[in-house]
Amino acid sequence: MARIVGVDLPKNKRGEIGLTYIYGIGPHFSSTILAAAKVEPTTRVKDLTEAEEQRIRELIDSDY
């Protein structure tokens, strides 16, 4: 299970949907973050690699 910004993302959701569980991130920002992190939006949260999770965390911390 991915934990980003103190929020446990649901592991069976797609990445673009899972990120919307974080307060302040909607569908638009979710797709923008995944594109900047070079992660496929259809990748399930449970299938994210540690490197992908780290890139997403860094983008959210620095830009959002």
Side-chain angles (χ1 to χ4, degrees):
M1 180 179 318
R3 186 171 181 86
I4 299 177
V5 194
V7 176
D8 290 329
L9 302 182
K11 62 182 178 180
N12 289 324
K13 298 282 185 180
R14 294 188 329 232
E16 62 186 351
I17 302 300
L19 284 180
T20 62
Y21 281 71
I22 299 171
Y23 180 79
I25 296 180
H28 174 72
F29 284 135
S30 174
S31 60
T32 304
I33 291 167
L34 291 175
K38 297 181 176 81
V39 176
E40 270 304 310
T42 58
T43 303
R44 300 277 174 187
V45 171
K46 66 181 177 184
D47 297 330
L48 289 173
T49 65
E50 193 63 38
E52 291 172 334
E53 287 181 32
Q54 187 61 34
R55 287 196 307 259
I56 292 169
R57 277 190 202 100
E58 290 171 358
L59 280 168
I60 291 173
D61 288 342
S62 65
D63 296 339
Y64 301 95

